[in-house]
Amino acid sequence: MRYLGRYDVLAIAARVLRRDSGEVVRRTDLDTIDRVLDSVRLASSLAEAAGVLLAGLVRARPFDGANRVVAVAVVLQFVSLNRAELQLEPVADVDDLLDRITAGAASHQEAATFIRSRLEHRPVTPADLEEHLGVELLLQEEDLTQDWWRGLDMYEQFGEPARQVILLAQEEARNLDHTYVGTEHLLLGLIVHRDNAAARVLSDLDITAPAVRDLVVEIIGRGKGGATAGTTPFTPRARSTFEYAWGEARARGAQQVGPEHLLLGVLQDGDGVGGQIITKLAESTDQVRRKLDRHLTWRERSEAAVAGALTEDATTAWTTYGRRHHLIAELNAVLDENERLHEQVANLRDLLRRHGINPDG
C-alpha cells in the first residue's frame, strides 16, 4: 500500500482552500495531520486505511475551513495513489456519512465499510507486471544502465552503506542469472550487507537471505544464464524505490540516504516482488514498516536530544521560524510536482456544487 505524506496533504489543502503554501502551513494543525497519517499506516487494507483517514480528518478538523471537502479530496488522492477510484455519487450519501462522523455517530469502521462498497480497483496492466513478465523486452527498449541516476542530485545524497547495498543487489541478481535488478534483489542486498538498521529489523522478523532467494526462484524463477559480469540494469520499480528512498530521507531530515530508506522504498511498493516476499515472510509490509519506524523514531529522538543540548540557547521563535520555513519549501516542491491535483480538486468542487453542496462551507 502506498501512503500520503504530510506534504501531500498540505498540497491538497492548498488546492482546495486556494491559499498559498505559507498560509496553509501557518493555519493548519500539523501535529493532528501527522497523528492521522500514522494511524492510517496501522490499517490492513485500502478501504480500512481510507476510512481511518476520512474519519480522522473530519473529526479532528485540522484545516482552517472546508475541512470536509479537504478530507474527501485527500481520500480521493490516497485511493488514486493505490490504483483505485472512489465513486462519490450519489453525493448525498457521502454528505450523510460526513454528518454522522462529525457528530460522532459513525466510526472509522463504518466509514471503511462505506468506502469499500464504492471502491473500484483499476485492472492490472502489462506495465504493472513488468518485473514478472516483460523485463528482458523492456530492457531492450529502454536505456536502463546502472548510471542512469549518476547525473542527478539524488546520487550524491546516497551514503556509502546504501551504495554498497545496491552493489550487493546487482551481485545477487547476477548470481540468480537475472539480467536486471529489481526490488527483490535490493531486499537481498539489504540483508546481505548486514551492518545496517534495515538488516537488523529484517533479521528480527526472521527474514533471511536463503528464504528470500528461495521465494525469488519460486515467484520468477532463475535466469537463463544470460547474466554477465558487467552492468546490470535496474527495473522501473527499483528506480522508483531509489526515488522514494531519497524522498523519505529528505522528509526525515537525514543528511544522506541510508539502507533503512531503501527498505522503506521496497515496502512502499507492495506489488513489487520485494514487497510480495516480505508479505510472505512477515505478517505484512506494515509490520516491517512499523518496526523500522520505531527504530528510526528512536534514533531521531536521540539525535534531537543531542542537538538540543548543544543549542540550549536557541529561542523558540527561531525554532518555529525554521520549521515553518522548511515546511513551506517542501510544500512548494510538492505543489510544483503535483499539478494533476488541481484538476482533481476542481472536479470535486464542481461535483459538490451540482448536488447543492457548498464546497467552501
Side-chain angles (χ1 to χ4, degrees):
M1 196 185 307
R2 299 186 178 184
Y3 298 94
L4 297 175
R6 174 198 289 177
Y7 302 125
D8 300 309
V9 174
L10 290 171
I12 295 167
R15 293 296 189 204
V16 173
L17 300 175
R18 298 179 180 177
R19 294 173 182 161
D20 63 52
S21 56
E23 186 178 4
V24 168
V25 169
R26 288 191 299 272
R27 301 176 68 174
T28 299
D29 186 342
L30 303 176
D31 291 335
T32 293
I33 289 176
D34 288 342
R35 284 196 298 272
V36 172
L37 293 180
D38 286 344
S39 64
V40 168
R41 290 180 177 273
L42 301 177
S44 59
S45 68
L46 178 58
E48 182 185 350
V52 170
L53 184 60
L54 181 63
L57 293 178
V58 169
R59 284 196 194 117
R61 300 179 59 83
F63 311 105
D64 185 30
N67 273 269
R68 287 157 60 127
V69 179
V70 176
V72 172
V74 169
V75 171
L76 287 173
Q77 183 75 350
F78 174 58
V79 299
S80 176
L81 184 65
N82 286 281
R83 297 200 307 273
E85 294 179 359
L86 180 61
Q87 299 302 315
L88 292 181
E89 297 188 273
V91 177
D93 292 346
V94 179
D95 202 37
D96 177 65
L97 173 65
L98 297 178
D99 283 341
R100 288 185 287 115
I101 291 174
T102 302
S107 64
H108 71 268
Q109 291 97 335
E110 186 172 343
T113 300
F114 181 89
I115 289 170
R116 187 176 292 108
S117 69
R118 290 168 173 246
L119 267 184
E120 294 184 2
H121 294 273
R122 300 187 194 124
V124 177
T125 67
D128 296 323
L129 299 175
E130 59 199 358
E131 278 198 9
H132 301 269
L133 302 177
V135 177
E136 292 184 6
L137 176 61
L138 181 66
L139 297 178
Q140 293 170 6
E141 294 175 348
E142 293 190 25
D143 179 20
L144 299 179
T145 68
Q146 68 176 8
D147 293 328
W148 70 272
W149 57 324
R150 290 184 184 271
L152 302 177
D153 291 339
M154 178 176 65
Y155 173 76
E156 300 301 328
Q157 303 304 318
F158 274 62
E160 186 58 30
R163 297 185 192 188
Q164 288 298 318
V165 166
I166 293 170
L167 291 175
L168 289 168
Q170 292 177 317
E171 183 177 338
E172 288 289 333
R174 288 192 290 269
N175 290 339
L176 289 164
D177 291 324
H178 291 162
T179 56
Y180 61 92
V181 175
T183 55
E184 63 274 26
H185 306 111
L186 291 175
L187 177 60
L188 280 168
L190 286 165
I191 297 171
V192 174
H193 185 265
R194 293 187 181 179
D195 189 20
N196 63 77
R200 288 191 288 274
V201 167
L202 294 169
S203 176
D204 288 345
L205 295 169
D206 292 326
I207 299 177
T208 64
V212 172
R213 291 190 191 103
D214 287 345
L215 282 172
V216 170
V217 173
E218 178 184 321
I219 294 172
I220 58 178
R222 296 188 68 90
K224 299 178 181 179
T228 67
T231 297
T232 308
F234 302 107
T235 65
R237 286 189 187 278
R239 293 164 63 175
S240 295
T241 296
F242 297 146
E243 292 164 0
Y244 187 90
W246 186 39
E248 278 291 314
R250 292 172 62 201
R252 293 169 181 268
Q255 295 299 312
Q256 291 185 313
V257 175
E260 61 272 21
H261 304 117
L262 286 173
L263 179 55
L264 287 170
V266 173
L267 291 169
Q268 64 87 27
D269 186 3
D271 293 329
V273 178
Q276 292 181 43
I277 289 172
I278 290 174
T279 300
K280 284 179 177 289
L281 295 177
E283 179 182 315
S284 66
T285 55
D286 289 338
Q287 179 197 27
V288 182
R289 184 182 294 104
R290 289 195 297 271
K291 192 173 182 66
L292 183 59
D293 277 339
R294 283 197 297 271
H295 176 89
L296 293 175
T297 301
W298 175 85
R299 189 179 68 186
E300 288 163 3
R301 285 201 305 267
S302 300
E303 292 173 350
V306 173
L310 295 174
T311 58
E312 287 181 351
D313 58 338
T315 64
T316 302
W318 173 252
T319 302
T320 302
Y321 171 80
R323 183 179 186 227
R324 286 179 176 171
H325 180 76
H326 172 74
L327 285 170
I328 291 168
E330 292 293 334
L331 179 53
N332 279 329
V334 172
L335 287 169
D336 289 342
E337 296 171 0
N338 203 6
E339 283 301 317
R340 186 173 64 87
L341 184 60
H342 178 76
E343 182 179 354
Q344 279 191 326
V345 171
N347 291 338
L348 173 60
R349 295 172 68 91
D350 181 62
L351 178 62
L352 293 172
R353 287 196 187 94
R354 289 204 313 268
H355 288 81
I357 300 172
N358 180 10
D360 300 312

